[in-house]
Amino acid sequence: MQSLSPTAEQRLHITTEHLTNVTINTSSQDSWIHAYLTQSTHPLKGRQLLASHPISKGELLLIDAPYAVIPVVDDPASSPDLLCSNSKCSRKIVSAQPETPTSCPSNCIPDVAWCNEGCRAADQTRHAFECTWLKKYSASIRSKWGEYEFGMLWLIVRILATRSVELQRGEVFSSSSNPRFKSGWAAIESLCGSPETWAHSQVRAWSTLVKKYLKDSPTLPHGMSAEDVLALICREEANSFGLYPRETGVFPCPDPPVDRGEQFAAAVYPRAAIANHSCSPNIIHKPDNDGRMVFVVSRDIKPGEECCISYFDLTEFVDLSERRDHLQRSFRFLCKCDRCLGEEAPEEENSWDAFPAMDDDE
């Protein structure tokens, strides 16, 4: 990673200090939602987050624990970014020292590890759901389809694993402790995205992967139809978050630019996923040390105003055409936020001071 100039380091510290200094009385597995944060439905955007009262810059808006999370690392045997596989912990294992990381007793894949025996024991039921599948399919998926497809399928399996644990505990159809926002599997089913959202070629490719690797079987006993699993992929791909070491959504961008760093994980969050995109967001977001997604208000928000994040690194896609092309390719929508509309070239007006000259027939 390139070294930062003093100015860039100062700007970076300014944007991160209110994330690291916030103290909320929650345990690592809990979520927290600002009392003034509500949700509604927009006729074009679907669900959205709104402020019911004024919310000031710097206020903590939301903390959301992941429903499922996977590490994204090149070398899990030595990477400092490998995460504890217990989703209730999800901290980077290197930060758990001097305790020795604990690997899977069945040696499924090196990407699976826990920061200690306690986390492994607490995660035993959930991991048992994925372990056989990982041993059977991970190598072939990675060699034949690549890392992105493997990561997507593994994240789906971890979503199904969490659902399986909820089913065993009788929690799938239980009501949320926060009546304003759904939780658990009910929240996952409420996420936007369907086969109609994506290109036919993409849906066909995902359908092939479902039939080959995600069908209901003794290896993966989820009890869902192939159509329902395909719909789950469509929702996951529209709503999952990449986890980065620095904030996403700092705007205006620091000068010189400070990007958000290299992705080290991917996760699905039941409530954070409701936030829509803006190229001039009023929220910055960043995972905390327990893998929870943290939203912080980056400028004052008025009552009734939508609370938006940025879906991408604003230092990477700067021009209007770049931003719109990226969002169209990745998320299948044309961005019409205030910034994009303000940067559109004005349409040429066809005004005439007089009729155009015409040939004289005489």
Side-chain angles (χ1 to χ4, degrees):
M1 183 182 300
Q2 67 181 24
S3 60
L4 304 176
S5 69
T7 301
E9 286 184 337
Q10 184 180 25
R11 290 294 298 271
L12 183 60
H13 176 71
I14 290 171
T15 61
T16 59
E17 63 181 3
H18 52 278
L19 291 183
T20 57
N21 292 337
V22 165
T23 301
I24 293 294
N25 186 24
T26 64
S27 59
S28 62
Q29 66 265 34
D30 289 335
S31 298
W32 180 89
I33 303 170
H34 196 292
Y36 295 162
L37 186 63
T38 64
Q39 61 173 316
S40 68
T41 302
H42 187 277
L44 297 179
K45 296 180 179 182
R47 294 192 303 169
Q48 60 181 357
L49 296 177
L50 298 178
S52 61
H53 296 76
I55 306 177
S56 300
K57 176 181 178 179
E59 286 195 54
L60 183 66
L61 195 65
L62 178 144
I63 300 175
D64 202 13
Y67 191 83
V69 57
I70 61 167
V72 177
V73 295
D74 293 330
D75 185 5
S78 60
S79 174
D81 291 327
L82 186 64
L83 301 181
C84 178
S85 288
N86 183 354
S87 62
K88 302 299 185 182
C89 174
S90 296
R91 56 178 171 167
K92 293 183 180 180
I93 290 179
V94 68
S95 67
Q97 299 301 328
E99 298 170 291
T100 302
T102 304
S103 59
C104 173
S106 300
N107 297 314
C108 55
I109 58 172
D111 310 61
V112 170
W114 296 268
C115 52
N116 55 50
E117 283 289 347
C119 269
R120 190 193 72 79
D123 194 41
Q124 183 175 0
T125 302
R126 188 211 57 80
H127 177 63
F129 183 92
E130 70 177 357
C131 188
T132 302
W133 183 87
L134 288 170
K135 291 182 70 174
K136 183 174 182 178
Y137 291 124
S138 61
S140 60
I141 296 172
R142 281 174 150 158
S143 62
K144 183 175 182 179
W145 298 89
E147 283 296 319
Y148 183 87
E149 284 72 15
F150 169 71
M152 179 193 73
L153 294 175
W154 188 17
L155 188 54
I156 292 295
V157 170
R158 286 203 157 176
I159 292 172
L160 294 172
T162 303
R163 175 181 179 271
S164 177
V165 172
E166 289 182 358
L167 280 169
Q168 292 181 45
R169 296 174 178 171
E171 297 174 353
V172 165
F173 301 107
S174 62
S175 60
S176 170
S177 59
N178 187 326
R180 295 182 295 141
F181 292 86
K182 293 181 179 180
S183 62
W185 178 247
I188 301 302
E189 287 191 308
S190 299
L191 297 179
C192 67
S194 68
E196 290 72 32
T197 307
W198 303 95
H200 293 306
S201 58
Q202 182 66 81
V203 174
R204 285 196 300 270
W206 290 340
S207 181
T208 298
L209 291 172
V210 170
K211 292 175 182 177
K212 289 178 68 69
Y213 303 113
L214 295 180
K215 62 184 179 182
D216 182 40
S217 68
T219 301
L220 197 67
H222 52 70
M224 295 172 62
S225 68
E227 291 75 15
D228 286 341
V229 177
L230 176 61
L232 178 59
I233 290 179
C234 293
R235 294 197 297 273
E236 175 274 322
E237 286 294 283
N239 293 279
S240 58
F241 281 71
L243 274 59
Y244 297 84
R246 296 190 286 273
E247 297 90 339
T248 301
V250 178
F251 185 79
C253 297
D255 184 18
V258 180
D259 64 28
R260 60 185 178 179
E262 294 295 323
Q263 181 180 355
F264 62 86
V268 173
Y269 296 92
R271 304 164 186 85
I274 300 172
N276 289 320
H277 166 83
S278 172
C279 294
S280 56
N282 50 21
I283 299 171
I284 55 176
H285 65 278
K286 178 178 180 284
D288 68 6
N289 292 333
D290 296 304
R292 301 179 299 177
M293 186 54 62
V294 179
F295 284 3
V296 174
V297 177
S298 57
R299 55 181 170 82
D300 292 348
I301 301 177
K302 300 176 182 178
E305 184 179 351
E306 185 175 8
C307 304
C308 293
I309 63 174
S310 174
Y311 286 179
F312 58 85
D313 190 337
L314 292 168
T315 67
E316 184 177 357
F317 302 97
V318 179
D319 295 337
L320 173 63
S321 59
E322 293 177 338
R323 300 196 309 268
R324 282 185 162 172
D325 287 348
H326 173 69
L327 290 166
Q328 185 68 53
R329 290 193 309 270
S330 301
F331 300 99
R332 309 284 295 177
F333 71 88
L334 177 67
C335 186
K336 293 188 177 182
C337 69
D338 291 343
R339 180 184 173 191
C340 286
L341 292 177
E343 293 178 10
E344 287 181 345
E347 295 183 8
E348 293 185 8
E349 297 183 1
N350 293 323
S351 59
W352 302 95
D353 293 331
F355 288 108
M358 301 178 66
D359 293 336
D360 189 355
D361 291 335
E362 295 181 0

